C-alpha cells in the first residue's frame, strides 16, 4: 500500500489513505469509523473521476464480500475501482485507462 501511495504522490494524483475500523473510547465502548468494505486508497483522477484502489497481498489477498460490493457500487456510479498487488500494477492500470501517458516513472526503472 505504501508503494501505491508513493506512486500516486509522485504522479501528482490527489489521494488519501481511507482507514476503516473501530477504536475503544473512554466509556469502554467502541466507536466505528469509515465504511466497511471501502477501498484502502481513495483519490480524484484528472477530470474529477473518483479513484478507488484496493491493495492486496501479492499471493493470498482476497476481497471480502463487503469489498466486492463497494467496488461494484462505485463502479456503477462512474468511479475507477481497481484491485492491485503493488504500484507497478497500479501504473499499468492507470496507463491502460488513459490517465498516465508520459514515460516511465523513477528514471525508467521498474522493480
Amino acid at each position: 500500500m505504501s508503494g501505491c501511495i508513493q506512486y500516486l504522490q509522485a504522479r501528482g494524483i490527489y489521494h488519501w489513505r481511507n482507514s476503516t475500523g473501530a477504536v475503544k473510547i473512554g466509556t469502554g465502548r467502541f466507536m466505528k469509523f469509515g465504511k466497511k468494505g471501502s477501498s484502502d486508497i481513495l483519490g480524484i483522477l484528472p477530470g474529477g473521476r473518483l479513484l478507488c484502489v484496493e491493495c492486496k497481498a501479492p499471493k493470498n489477498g482476497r476481497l471480502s464480500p463487503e469489498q466486492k460490493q463497494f467496488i461494484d457500487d462505485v463502479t456503477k456510479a462512474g468511479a475507477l475501482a481497481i484491485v492491485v498487488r503493488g504500484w507497478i500494477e497500479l501504473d499499468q492500470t492507470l496507463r491502460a485507462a488513459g490517465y498516465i501517458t508520459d514515460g516511465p516513472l523513477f528514471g525508467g526503472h521498474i522493480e
Side-chain angles (χ1 to χ4, degrees):
M1 186 181 328
S2 64
C4 290
I5 289 172
Q6 290 175 14
Y7 172 81
L8 292 170
Q9 183 174 356
R11 285 287 181 197
I13 296 173
Y14 185 73
H15 66 283
W16 59 96
R17 170 76 168 93
N18 182 47
S19 298
T20 62
V23 295
K24 197 172 194 178
I25 57 175
T27 62
R29 295 179 15 197
F30 283 90
M31 181 177 78
K32 294 180 181 180
F33 58 91
K35 178 169 176 47
K36 188 173 183 179
S38 60
S39 295
D40 296 316
I41 304 168
L42 299 177
I44 307 295
L45 291 165
R49 188 176 184 190
L50 177 66
L51 172 66
C52 304
V53 181
E54 181 62 40
C55 300
K56 290 296 177 191
K59 293 183 181 181
N60 300 343
R62 294 191 175 128
L63 293 175
S64 70
E66 294 87 1
Q67 290 169 327
K68 288 178 185 177
Q69 187 63 56
F70 180 83
I71 289 171
D72 289 345
D73 291 346
V74 296
T75 299
K76 287 176 188 171
L80 176 60
I82 57 178
V83 179
V84 300
R85 300 188 185 282
W87 72 267
I88 294 173
E89 192 173 352
L90 176 58
D91 177 68
Q92 292 168 341
T93 303
L94 292 177
R95 285 177 188 279
Y99 289 101
I100 306 297
T101 57
D102 59 349
L105 191 60
F106 307 122
H109 299 288
I110 296 182
E111 300 177 16

